[in-house]
Amino acid sequence: MIKKILIANRGEIAIRVMNTCREMGIQTVAVYSEADYSSLHVSYADEAYCIGPAPSAESYLNIEKIIEVAKKTGADAIHPGYGFLSENAKFSQRCKDENIIFIGPAPYAIDTMGDKITARKTMMDAGVPVVPGTKEPITDLDDAVKVIKEIGLPVMVKASAGGGGKGMRLVEKEEDIISSVKAAKSEALSAFGNDAVYVEKYISSPHHIEFQVLADNHGNCVHLFERECSVQRRHQKVVEETPSPIMTEEVRKEMGKHAVAAAQAVNYSGAGTIEFITDDNLNYYFLEMNTRLQVEHPITEEVVGLDLVKEQIKIANGEKLSFKQEDLGQRGHAIEVRIYAEDPDNNFMPNPGKIEHIQFPLGPGIRNDTYVYNGFEIPIYYDPMISKLVVWGANRSDAIQRMKRALKVFKINGVKTSIPFLYQIMEVESFVKGRYTTHFIQNNEQELKMRADCNMECAEIGTIVAFLDYMNKREAKLSSINEESASSKWKESGRKFRFLI
Amino acid sequence: MIKKILIANRGEIAIRVMNTCREMGIQTVAVYSEADYSSLHVSYADEAYCIGPAPSAESYLNIEKIIEVAKKTGADAIHPGYGFLSENAKFSQRCKDENIIFIGPAPYAIDTMGDKITARKTMMDAGVPVVPGTKEPITDLDDAVKVIKEIGLPVMVKASAGGGGKGMRLVEKEEDIISSVKAAKSEALSAFGNDAVYVEKYISSPHHIEFQVLADNHGNCVHLFERECSVQRRHQKVVEETPSPIMTEEVRKEMGKHAVAAAQAVNYSGAGTIEFITDDNLNYYFLEMNTRLQVEHPITEEVVGLDLVKEQIKIANGEKLSFKQEDLGQRGHAIEVRIYAEDPDNNFMPNPGKIEHIQFPLGPGIRNDTYVYNGFEIPIYYDPMISKLVVWGANRSDAIQRMKRALKVFKINGVKTSIPFLYQIMEVESFVKGRYTTHFIQNNEQELKMRADCNMECAEIGTIVAFLDYMNKREAKLSSINEESASSKWKESGRKFRFLI
Amino acid sequence: MSYEISINGETQPIQILNRDGNKIKVQMGKATYELDVFEREPGIYVVLRNGKTYNYELQAYEPKKYKVNTFSEILDVEIIDPESRYSKNRKGSHDDDADHISTPMPGQVVKVLVKEGQEVKAGDTIVVVSAMKMESEYKVTTDRVVQKVLVKEGEKIDSNQPLVIFESLE
Amino acid sequence: MSYEISINGETQPIQILNRDGNKIKVQMGKATYELDVFEREPGIYVVLRNGKTYNYELQAYEPKKYKVNTFSEILDVEIIDPESRYSKNRKGSHDDDADHISTPMPGQVVKVLVKEGQEVKAGDTIVVVSAMKMESEYKVTTDRVVQKVLVKEGEKIDSNQPLVIFESLE
């Protein structure tokens, strides 16, 4: 039985893991970099040890140091959170060698899923759909045409030696096949001296839909349904929700089976996520597997009613899953937004600094996964995420309304945050209707720049309040000076002086 | 359609109602007493109006003033919360007369359920079990014995003119019936000059179990299952949970039907609660009906997945319930504790004062319904409840563990609170096992006084920290005085002076 | 300056031996403590000692008197410097509250049942105070004579504010 | 003393006409405002005007400059008193940042690509700064000559701290 867990991470996920440990009566060990001395995860743990300077390479990625702390404190297990060492096969192996339980999959699963080509091949063998495409470069025109017809339009033809968009052609109509392949080949030849091309299915309205899986060490594996993560900016997820607004019960079942097959193909153990790229018609293809807990795992917890970290720990403990696929169901709707210290009106420039004041939204259906507090200085070395705000509602429209309510009363002072941008997402028609793809943010750039109106009166009163604040401070300063000059009379008489030295 | 609601209440329930209004796009009007000027419900509303001095009778119970504000602001409806005017039939009638929707039942339902004798009679007519007992005082010994045998032992024999325990006898054994009745009668005679007695069924291990009901204005009525509220101190609920740990599926169905019958018997509309007194064998008897939202409504929301305030507003809007009894179910387990500003180690003396610092528990499965903030001064005029802490867990034991985690990290500085006492409840064996009655607190007085250990080292370091804090403040004061004496040099030279006046 | 510290009534000498930023070495009684002390927010302290974490919330209700909240307990801590030792000695043993009635919490005076000069018997109720929907009666435990009534009915009062003063028992 | 206030660049005279506790009467421009202003926590304001509630969070990033957060917008407000009018006039129009490079946020210098005395062309990268897992390149927009390099690679920097100074364009 695991009695003490070292959390090899920081920020909200360290707190998240510790919460479950506390509930399970498991002792926690925090590790922290010098820059994280004042971080909440330090005081939240039973024990805490500094493992090096601010840069991750010298602290949170420092395997030797982390193993050393685990051994010193007698931790039975290490939870890697997400990021940092969570998908590091060497670290998983090293834990094994040191007889410490790594709360995550075995090195083999991490390695196999970590390499795109091996993963793709493994999935094909397991019968999991992958994005159709050629496996070898093609030089012959007829071969290319044949392959394209097999895959079906639209396709992307890419120079096999290529990069930077050169020798790349999107083919959407049958009559363009030959001319496009020719153009791609000749462009490829002149640019790279090699006219070989790849052909890949092109998904024009892609959705990012992922399935949560849980597998124990006794051959049992279930999925916990999907998460829709298509609201992305620069391939970073911004909003996640479950259920997916485009999912059908039939496809859900089928995708779930494929997700389980994918996990079983690498003999997976623990919590993992199978990411699929999906088109408007719910054709779906394996993209990659994340062999760890995801940032967005809370929405699954809210809708399925399980604690994923608890399941991870139980699996690591060698326990069997206590439920079967048919015991699991989805209830209501959950949405997560990631709140960053960044300036949405200035190209999302990171905006680290001191949190002067923070007031979390509270009340029904709201969950805050966070690690900041009043006065906390966000370190510049790590991810600028302040908080994950999660809401649950009886249905999608209730959840959206609740998210808007929560964002409206979420006050963070001192740094700029993505809150007004996230609020605006909840207002955009295609989001409200649930008809959006991974192009959502770029397709709605203008609408997303709009801000709920601070009308004339609101702005004028705000201005006056700043003036009043200034005048109040000025008065306070004046009267404190008068007071001190009064106190200096005491000083002269020697009476108060005695108590002050 | 309701577009603007006046909330005729304060504290956490005002915020709770406003949260749902915000989610429904309904404007909110707060009313506040002079003592509540700095209360959060004032700034949380779209509009706010002072309705009088601190004492409730002059503000929150001031019907004229509240109606005046509702009319001035054009509010379509008034939500009374709980307490104050929520069970005031006159107020319900007055709203009706003024063409303002009262979000609660009609005066008839309030009146009928508000009078114990009428309520009891109405329930008997509706086939709802009530605590068996005599309806008329009995003077004849044989009559009394006959009645006792009908009711069944144990019974309580009470002087009908009585009070203060005089002329009261608990009868548990058959052979004691005659002697006990005689003793009660003679005691009653000498104490009150009247030897008439009442006989009532005595429930030796009482559980307080209540059923939430919802009824629309179209004849539909459902129940939302039970809440177990047996952890009480001086008849005040301290901890509530759902499902009840002693409930069976069969009795739940039967009690639910009786709860619906009880509501229908008074043509009930809105959200209400039927309270039952229940013995160890799940024999249950109608106690009273609360014709309003209950303090403990959140646990039902967590487990059933509905927003009760939203349902109240929809019913008030004239909508039909959007679900039937068979659509409703319970998922997981929820517990609520009421956190008061009181000193559990000093006879629960209220401990009002200024909240110097408050840090809410966050993360999975935790809901905070509250209205306080850093620096808030709890008014002395009202209920000292600071916060309702609600947790949800997949099962009862998970929920208890989560509650313990939440209570451990819930920090309130400045006033003493019931947190350590509530934590201790979660540790007492009979609570953990779910085998407890309304005598729980008095039966476990000693155990509930125990406190999780602050060991020697923890106490010593805490002492040192106080010393360091003192020394730091002392230093800061010294250096500020040095600074000011430096600044007074500027003053003398006239340079800084110019900017400061 | 030499300091002592009193915790829940027990007094020991205390002294900072060394200080390097947040790393602090303290001697209390006979033991030495090496601590890493971080004040996260005003009065909210995090302490590391040999890797173990300790969390405290402090409330200085008087300049030298602290309530230290450890979650499980509230410790009463008092800092004693030469000045407070001096004034303690001067006050001597005559520092009890028996000469007046006050309430431990703020509230509102509901009733004042005595007049100045009145003789009252042990057990008599002197004032009734209401706070947070609860009324409390304050009684005398010995026979006394009322010297001064400091409050009126309806008046709002602070915690520990003297309400009624009695003539000295001596 | 006469005050003006500038909001998002527009300037108007402002004056407190009357003050009774939290009830405040203010003249701004030609309009008069009667407000009930309550500072709930430092910088957190609640205002009532004719029953309507307004919530603001203030951040005074310089003594006379405020960011006023209204949820939907952050207003830039500056208080202008005679002293600031005087110093503004003295500085004249030559108060632009073109003579140095700085970054809007704290971070760490990754690379310094220029030396003192070096001539650089419009579009050349001068420094690379990393903050929060993102590297940003800072370039010049006109041909310049480097006068002084104020930071080293690896150095931690504050927001708006000058990193490289150029010779004046004049």
mmCIF file of all heavy atoms in Angstrom, chain A residues 355-359 374 413-414 465 469 472-473, chain B residues 354-356 373-376, chain C residues 42, chain D residues 38-46 56-60 66:
data_model
loop_
_atom_site.group_PDB
_atom_site.id
_atom_site.type_symbol
_atom_site.label_atom_id
_atom_site.label_comp_id
_atom_site.label_asym_id
_atom_site.label_seq_id
_atom_site.Cartn_x
_atom_site.Cartn_y
_atom_site.Cartn_z
ATOM 1 N N ILE A 355 0.106 38.857 -7.909
ATOM 2 C CA ILE A 355 -1.343 38.826 -7.756
ATOM 3 C C ILE A 355 -1.671 39.704 -6.553
ATOM 4 O O ILE A 355 -1.473 39.292 -5.409
ATOM 5 C CB ILE A 355 -1.845 37.390 -7.496
ATOM 6 C CG1 ILE A 355 -1.317 36.422 -8.538
ATOM 7 C CG2 ILE A 355 -3.360 37.362 -7.338
ATOM 8 C CD1 ILE A 355 -2.216 36.155 -9.686
ATOM 9 N N GLU A 356 -2.142 40.918 -6.815
ATOM 10 C CA GLU A 356 -2.407 41.827 -5.705
ATOM 11 C C GLU A 356 -3.632 41.364 -4.933
ATOM 12 O O GLU A 356 -3.714 41.503 -3.719
ATOM 13 C CB GLU A 356 -2.652 43.246 -6.234
ATOM 14 C CG GLU A 356 -1.456 43.857 -6.962
ATOM 15 C CD GLU A 356 -0.337 44.244 -6.017
ATOM 16 O OE1 GLU A 356 -0.566 44.242 -4.801
ATOM 17 O OE2 GLU A 356 0.781 44.514 -6.507
ATOM 18 N N HIS A 357 -4.579 40.822 -5.673
ATOM 19 C CA HIS A 357 -5.838 40.436 -5.044
ATOM 20 C C HIS A 357 -6.522 39.420 -5.934
ATOM 21 O O HIS A 357 -6.583 39.606 -7.145
ATOM 22 C CB HIS A 357 -6.735 41.671 -4.888
ATOM 23 C CG HIS A 357 -8.029 41.386 -4.198
ATOM 24 N ND1 HIS A 357 -9.200 41.222 -4.880
ATOM 25 C CD2 HIS A 357 -8.318 41.205 -2.891
ATOM 26 C CE1 HIS A 357 -10.167 40.965 -4.015
ATOM 27 N NE2 HIS A 357 -9.666 40.947 -2.803
ATOM 28 N N ILE A 358 -7.019 38.361 -5.343
ATOM 29 C CA ILE A 358 -7.748 37.383 -6.144
ATOM 30 C C ILE A 358 -9.000 36.975 -5.394
ATOM 31 O O ILE A 358 -8.976 36.763 -4.175
ATOM 32 C CB ILE A 358 -6.865 36.164 -6.501
ATOM 33 C CG1 ILE A 358 -7.600 35.233 -7.471
ATOM 34 C CG2 ILE A 358 -6.386 35.410 -5.291
ATOM 35 C CD1 ILE A 358 -6.671 34.307 -8.225
ATOM 36 N N GLN A 359 -10.092 36.930 -6.115
ATOM 37 C CA GLN A 359 -11.356 36.503 -5.508
ATOM 38 C C GLN A 359 -11.961 35.448 -6.419
ATOM 39 O O GLN A 359 -12.296 35.723 -7.573
ATOM 40 C CB GLN A 359 -12.275 37.703 -5.362
ATOM 41 C CG GLN A 359 -13.473 37.432 -4.483
ATOM 42 C CD GLN A 359 -14.304 38.696 -4.302
ATOM 43 O OE1 GLN A 359 -13.794 39.800 -4.225
ATOM 44 N NE2 GLN A 359 -15.607 38.533 -4.258
ATOM 45 N N ASN A 374 -3.474 35.734 -2.616
ATOM 46 C CA ASN A 374 -3.209 37.173 -2.540
ATOM 47 C C ASN A 374 -1.738 37.416 -2.240
ATOM 48 O O ASN A 374 -1.222 36.936 -1.234
ATOM 49 C CB ASN A 374 -4.029 37.824 -1.418
ATOM 50 C CG ASN A 374 -5.477 38.002 -1.798
ATOM 51 O OD1 ASN A 374 -5.822 37.957 -2.988
ATOM 52 N ND2 ASN A 374 -6.327 38.207 -0.808
ATOM 53 N N ASN A 413 -6.491 40.875 -9.604
ATOM 54 C CA ASN A 413 -5.901 42.193 -9.718
ATOM 55 C C ASN A 413 -4.383 42.078 -9.673
ATOM 56 O O ASN A 413 -3.852 41.293 -8.917
ATOM 57 C CB ASN A 413 -6.377 43.077 -8.558
ATOM 58 C CG ASN A 413 -6.753 44.456 -9.032
ATOM 59 O OD1 ASN A 413 -6.686 44.749 -10.229
ATOM 60 N ND2 ASN A 413 -7.143 45.310 -8.119
ATOM 61 N N GLY A 414 -3.703 42.872 -10.472
ATOM 62 C CA GLY A 414 -2.245 42.877 -10.438
ATOM 63 C C GLY A 414 -1.627 42.386 -11.734
ATOM 64 O O GLY A 414 -0.590 42.858 -12.151
ATOM 65 N N VAL A 465 -13.587 57.151 -8.937
ATOM 66 C CA VAL A 465 -13.128 56.298 -7.835
ATOM 67 C C VAL A 465 -11.600 56.324 -7.742
ATOM 68 O O VAL A 465 -11.036 56.381 -6.651
ATOM 69 C CB VAL A 465 -13.657 54.857 -8.014
ATOM 70 C CG1 VAL A 465 -12.954 53.908 -7.078
ATOM 71 C CG2 VAL A 465 -15.157 54.819 -7.763
ATOM 72 N N ASP A 469 -9.542 57.482 -4.493
ATOM 73 C CA ASP A 469 -8.512 56.634 -3.901
ATOM 74 C C ASP A 469 -7.221 57.434 -3.716
ATOM 75 O O ASP A 469 -6.573 57.376 -2.673
ATOM 76 C CB ASP A 469 -8.264 55.416 -4.792
ATOM 77 C CG ASP A 469 -7.349 54.402 -4.164
ATOM 78 O OD1 ASP A 469 -7.845 53.561 -3.397
ATOM 79 O OD2 ASP A 469 -6.117 54.440 -4.415
ATOM 80 N N ASN A 472 -7.680 59.911 -0.878
ATOM 81 C CA ASN A 472 -7.672 59.227 0.419
ATOM 82 C C ASN A 472 -6.257 58.894 0.851
ATOM 83 O O ASN A 472 -5.879 59.071 2.006
ATOM 84 C CB ASN A 472 -8.465 57.917 0.352
ATOM 85 C CG ASN A 472 -9.955 58.160 0.355
ATOM 86 O OD1 ASN A 472 -10.408 59.263 0.642
ATOM 87 N ND2 ASN A 472 -10.717 57.126 0.012
ATOM 88 N N LYS A 473 -5.482 58.370 -0.085
ATOM 89 C CA LYS A 473 -4.106 57.982 0.247
ATOM 90 C C LYS A 473 -3.283 59.205 0.630
ATOM 91 O O LYS A 473 -2.441 59.140 1.516
ATOM 92 C CB LYS A 473 -3.476 57.285 -0.951
ATOM 93 C CG LYS A 473 -3.896 55.836 -1.064
ATOM 94 C CD LYS A 473 -3.052 55.125 -2.089
ATOM 95 C CE LYS A 473 -3.618 53.744 -2.354
ATOM 96 N NZ LYS A 473 -3.346 53.317 -3.716
ATOM 97 N N LYS B 354 -14.277 40.682 13.200
ATOM 98 C CA LYS B 354 -13.807 40.977 11.859
ATOM 99 C C LYS B 354 -13.081 39.760 11.297
ATOM 100 O O LYS B 354 -12.213 39.198 11.958
ATOM 101 C CB LYS B 354 -12.860 42.174 11.921
ATOM 102 C CG LYS B 354 -12.471 42.719 10.562
ATOM 103 C CD LYS B 354 -11.652 43.991 10.733
ATOM 104 C CE LYS B 354 -11.019 44.370 9.414
ATOM 105 N NZ LYS B 354 -10.077 45.472 9.571
ATOM 106 N N ILE B 355 -13.443 39.357 10.094
ATOM 107 C CA ILE B 355 -12.735 38.277 9.416
ATOM 108 C C ILE B 355 -11.420 38.861 8.912
ATOM 109 O O ILE B 355 -11.400 39.592 7.916
ATOM 110 C CB ILE B 355 -13.553 37.752 8.214
ATOM 111 C CG1 ILE B 355 -14.961 37.378 8.624
ATOM 112 C CG2 ILE B 355 -12.810 36.636 7.496
ATOM 113 C CD1 ILE B 355 -15.190 35.963 8.958
ATOM 114 N N GLU B 356 -10.341 38.583 9.619
ATOM 115 C CA GLU B 356 -9.068 39.168 9.219
ATOM 116 C C GLU B 356 -8.575 38.538 7.926
ATOM 117 O O GLU B 356 -7.964 39.189 7.085
ATOM 118 C CB GLU B 356 -8.005 38.953 10.313
ATOM 119 C CG GLU B 356 -8.337 39.603 11.645
ATOM 120 C CD GLU B 356 -8.189 41.120 11.604
ATOM 121 O OE1 GLU B 356 -7.600 41.625 10.641
ATOM 122 O OE2 GLU B 356 -8.696 41.779 12.540
ATOM 123 N N TYR B 373 -15.784 38.021 3.244
ATOM 124 C CA TYR B 373 -14.539 38.311 2.517
ATOM 125 C C TYR B 373 -13.514 38.832 3.520
ATOM 126 O O TYR B 373 -13.866 39.150 4.669
ATOM 127 C CB TYR B 373 -14.796 39.328 1.395
ATOM 128 C CG TYR B 373 -15.469 40.596 1.865
ATOM 129 C CD1 TYR B 373 -14.725 41.627 2.455
ATOM 130 C CD2 TYR B 373 -16.845 40.768 1.764
ATOM 131 C CE1 TYR B 373 -15.341 42.775 2.905
ATOM 132 C CE2 TYR B 373 -17.469 41.932 2.207
ATOM 133 C CZ TYR B 373 -16.705 42.935 2.780
ATOM 134 O OH TYR B 373 -17.318 44.070 3.247
ATOM 135 N N ASN B 374 -12.271 38.920 3.102
ATOM 136 C CA ASN B 374 -11.223 39.444 3.967
ATOM 137 C C ASN B 374 -11.595 40.843 4.444
ATOM 138 O O ASN B 374 -11.835 41.725 3.632
ATOM 139 C CB ASN B 374 -9.888 39.552 3.199
ATOM 140 C CG ASN B 374 -9.226 38.215 3.009
ATOM 141 O OD1 ASN B 374 -9.558 37.243 3.700
ATOM 142 N ND2 ASN B 374 -8.289 38.129 2.080
ATOM 143 N N GLY B 375 -11.617 41.013 5.756
ATOM 144 C CA GLY B 375 -11.898 42.339 6.291
ATOM 145 C C GLY B 375 -13.359 42.549 6.642
ATOM 146 O O GLY B 375 -13.718 43.598 7.171
ATOM 147 N N PHE B 376 -14.202 41.571 6.351
ATOM 148 C CA PHE B 376 -15.638 41.732 6.635
ATOM 149 C C PHE B 376 -15.899 41.636 8.135
ATOM 150 O O PHE B 376 -15.386 40.766 8.811
ATOM 151 C CB PHE B 376 -16.435 40.663 5.903
ATOM 152 C CG PHE B 376 -17.923 40.735 6.157
ATOM 153 C CD1 PHE B 376 -18.649 41.831 5.742
ATOM 154 C CD2 PHE B 376 -18.583 39.698 6.806
ATOM 155 C CE1 PHE B 376 -20.025 41.903 5.974
ATOM 156 C CE2 PHE B 376 -19.949 39.755 7.030
ATOM 157 C CZ PHE B 376 -20.668 40.860 6.618
ATOM 158 N N PRO C 42 0.060 38.732 5.327
ATOM 159 C CA PRO C 42 0.239 39.231 6.689
ATOM 160 C C PRO C 42 -0.375 38.288 7.727
ATOM 161 O O PRO C 42 -1.569 37.990 7.671
ATOM 162 C CB PRO C 42 -0.479 40.594 6.652
ATOM 163 C CG PRO C 42 -0.421 41.012 5.219
ATOM 164 C CD PRO C 42 -0.512 39.735 4.424
ATOM 165 N N PHE D 38 -17.604 52.863 -1.238
ATOM 166 C CA PHE D 38 -17.138 52.016 -0.137
ATOM 167 C C PHE D 38 -15.932 51.195 -0.603
ATOM 168 O O PHE D 38 -16.002 50.502 -1.610
ATOM 169 C CB PHE D 38 -18.296 51.101 0.294
ATOM 170 C CG PHE D 38 -17.910 50.007 1.246
ATOM 171 C CD1 PHE D 38 -17.286 50.300 2.447
ATOM 172 C CD2 PHE D 38 -18.170 48.678 0.942
ATOM 173 C CE1 PHE D 38 -16.932 49.286 3.331
ATOM 174 C CE2 PHE D 38 -17.816 47.654 1.818
ATOM 175 C CZ PHE D 38 -17.192 47.967 3.015
ATOM 176 N N GLU D 39 -14.821 51.327 0.131
ATOM 177 C CA GLU D 39 -13.617 50.552 -0.209
ATOM 178 C C GLU D 39 -13.655 49.280 0.623
ATOM 179 O O GLU D 39 -13.359 49.285 1.809
ATOM 180 C CB GLU D 39 -12.353 51.348 0.098
ATOM 181 C CG GLU D 39 -11.093 50.648 -0.395
ATOM 182 C CD GLU D 39 -9.821 51.466 -0.193
ATOM 183 O OE1 GLU D 39 -9.870 52.468 0.536
ATOM 184 O OE2 GLU D 39 -8.777 51.091 -0.770
ATOM 185 N N ARG D 40 -14.032 48.178 -0.009
ATOM 186 C CA ARG D 40 -14.267 46.950 0.729
ATOM 187 C C ARG D 40 -12.979 46.315 1.214
ATOM 188 O O ARG D 40 -12.840 45.927 2.368
ATOM 189 C CB ARG D 40 -15.013 45.967 -0.152
ATOM 190 C CG ARG D 40 -15.624 44.865 0.626
ATOM 191 C CD ARG D 40 -16.538 44.073 -0.233
ATOM 192 N NE ARG D 40 -15.757 43.338 -1.198
ATOM 193 C CZ ARG D 40 -16.264 42.833 -2.322
ATOM 194 N NH1 ARG D 40 -17.523 43.021 -2.615
ATOM 195 N NH2 ARG D 40 -15.518 42.158 -3.134
ATOM 196 N N GLU D 41 -12.058 46.158 0.303
ATOM 197 C CA GLU D 41 -10.710 45.738 0.667
ATOM 198 C C GLU D 41 -9.808 46.751 -0.013
ATOM 199 O O GLU D 41 -10.253 47.476 -0.894
ATOM 200 C CB GLU D 41 -10.435 44.324 0.139
ATOM 201 C CG GLU D 41 -11.315 43.272 0.765
ATOM 202 C CD GLU D 41 -11.030 41.872 0.190
ATOM 203 O OE1 GLU D 41 -9.885 41.407 0.248
ATOM 204 O OE2 GLU D 41 -11.974 41.260 -0.341
ATOM 205 N N PRO D 42 -8.522 46.811 0.344
ATOM 206 C CA PRO D 42 -7.692 47.839 -0.284
ATOM 207 C C PRO D 42 -7.775 47.758 -1.821
ATOM 208 O O PRO D 42 -7.482 46.729 -2.411
ATOM 209 C CB PRO D 42 -6.285 47.515 0.223
ATOM 210 C CG PRO D 42 -6.517 46.833 1.535
ATOM 211 C CD PRO D 42 -7.789 46.053 1.354
ATOM 212 N N GLY D 43 -8.205 48.845 -2.431
ATOM 213 C CA GLY D 43 -8.294 48.896 -3.889
ATOM 214 C C GLY D 43 -9.550 48.294 -4.479
ATOM 215 O O GLY D 43 -9.771 48.376 -5.680
ATOM 216 N N ILE D 44 -10.389 47.648 -3.655
ATOM 217 C CA ILE D 44 -11.628 47.035 -4.146
ATOM 218 C C ILE D 44 -12.786 47.953 -3.751
ATOM 219 O O ILE D 44 -13.097 48.084 -2.560
ATOM 220 C CB ILE D 44 -11.852 45.638 -3.516
ATOM 221 C CG1 ILE D 44 -10.581 44.788 -3.541
ATOM 222 C CG2 ILE D 44 -13.036 44.921 -4.184
ATOM 223 C CD1 ILE D 44 -10.061 44.467 -4.888
ATOM 224 N N TYR D 45 -13.393 48.566 -4.716
ATOM 225 C CA TYR D 45 -14.425 49.568 -4.439
ATOM 226 C C TYR D 45 -15.805 49.114 -4.875
ATOM 227 O O TYR D 45 -15.953 48.476 -5.921
ATOM 228 C CB TYR D 45 -14.088 50.872 -5.157
ATOM 229 C CG TYR D 45 -13.062 51.706 -4.435
ATOM 230 C CD1 TYR D 45 -11.699 51.542 -4.691
ATOM 231 C CD2 TYR D 45 -13.456 52.650 -3.497
ATOM 232 C CE1 TYR D 45 -10.756 52.307 -4.029
ATOM 233 C CE2 TYR D 45 -12.519 53.417 -2.825
ATOM 234 C CZ TYR D 45 -11.173 53.241 -3.094
ATOM 235 O OH TYR D 45 -10.245 53.999 -2.426
ATOM 236 N N VAL D 46 -16.777 49.469 -4.070
ATOM 237 C CA VAL D 46 -18.180 49.284 -4.419
ATOM 238 C C VAL D 46 -18.809 50.679 -4.432
ATOM 239 O O VAL D 46 -18.643 51.435 -3.470
ATOM 240 C CB VAL D 46 -18.907 48.412 -3.379
ATOM 241 C CG1 VAL D 46 -20.357 48.231 -3.769
ATOM 242 C CG2 VAL D 46 -18.203 47.079 -3.214
ATOM 243 N N TYR D 56 -15.368 48.054 -8.808
ATOM 244 C CA TYR D 56 -14.089 48.376 -9.441
ATOM 245 C C TYR D 56 -12.932 47.780 -8.648
ATOM 246 O O TYR D 56 -13.001 47.671 -7.430
ATOM 247 C CB TYR D 56 -13.887 49.898 -9.508
ATOM 248 C CG TYR D 56 -14.955 50.630 -10.268
ATOM 249 C CD1 TYR D 56 -16.014 51.231 -9.591
ATOM 250 C CD2 TYR D 56 -14.920 50.715 -11.652
ATOM 251 C CE1 TYR D 56 -17.023 51.898 -10.283
ATOM 252 C CE2 TYR D 56 -15.920 51.381 -12.354
ATOM 253 C CZ TYR D 56 -16.975 51.971 -11.663
ATOM 254 O OH TYR D 56 -17.960 52.614 -12.343
ATOM 255 N N GLU D 57 -11.890 47.438 -9.374
ATOM 256 C CA GLU D 57 -10.640 47.066 -8.705
ATOM 257 C C GLU D 57 -9.563 48.005 -9.212
ATOM 258 O O GLU D 57 -9.354 48.131 -10.413
ATOM 259 C CB GLU D 57 -10.261 45.632 -9.045
ATOM 260 C CG GLU D 57 -11.416 44.693 -8.781
ATOM 261 C CD GLU D 57 -10.952 43.316 -8.382
ATOM 262 O OE1 GLU D 57 -9.756 43.024 -8.435
ATOM 263 O OE2 GLU D 57 -11.833 42.536 -8.000
ATOM 264 N N LEU D 58 -8.877 48.635 -8.277
ATOM 265 C CA LEU D 58 -7.894 49.638 -8.650
ATOM 266 C C LEU D 58 -6.483 49.120 -8.455
ATOM 267 O O LEU D 58 -6.201 48.419 -7.490
ATOM 268 C CB LEU D 58 -8.066 50.871 -7.757
ATOM 269 C CG LEU D 58 -8.912 51.999 -8.301
ATOM 270 C CD1 LEU D 58 -10.262 51.481 -8.735
ATOM 271 C CD2 LEU D 58 -9.060 53.085 -7.244
ATOM 272 N N GLN D 59 -5.622 49.530 -9.362
ATOM 273 C CA GLN D 59 -4.216 49.245 -9.166
ATOM 274 C C GLN D 59 -3.468 50.534 -9.454
ATOM 275 O O GLN D 59 -3.493 51.039 -10.582
ATOM 276 C CB GLN D 59 -3.796 48.145 -10.131
ATOM 277 C CG GLN D 59 -2.645 47.347 -9.628
ATOM 278 C CD GLN D 59 -2.102 46.459 -10.712
ATOM 279 O OE1 GLN D 59 -2.783 46.124 -11.668
ATOM 280 N NE2 GLN D 59 -0.848 46.088 -10.589
ATOM 281 N N ALA D 60 -2.825 51.088 -8.418
ATOM 282 C CA ALA D 60 -2.051 52.313 -8.598
ATOM 283 C C ALA D 60 -0.634 51.883 -8.950
ATOM 284 O O ALA D 60 0.143 51.542 -8.070
ATOM 285 C CB ALA D 60 -2.078 53.142 -7.320
ATOM 286 N N TYR D 66 -3.446 55.047 -12.450
ATOM 287 C CA TYR D 66 -4.251 53.907 -12.041
ATOM 288 C C TYR D 66 -4.677 53.061 -13.235
ATOM 289 O O TYR D 66 -4.946 53.594 -14.308
ATOM 290 C CB TYR D 66 -5.534 54.393 -11.357
ATOM 291 C CG TYR D 66 -5.347 54.849 -9.937
ATOM 292 C CD1 TYR D 66 -4.958 56.155 -9.649
ATOM 293 C CD2 TYR D 66 -5.549 53.971 -8.894
ATOM 294 C CE1 TYR D 66 -4.791 56.577 -8.343
ATOM 295 C CE2 TYR D 66 -5.396 54.379 -7.581
ATOM 296 C CZ TYR D 66 -5.011 55.684 -7.303
ATOM 297 O OH TYR D 66 -4.861 56.084 -6.008
#
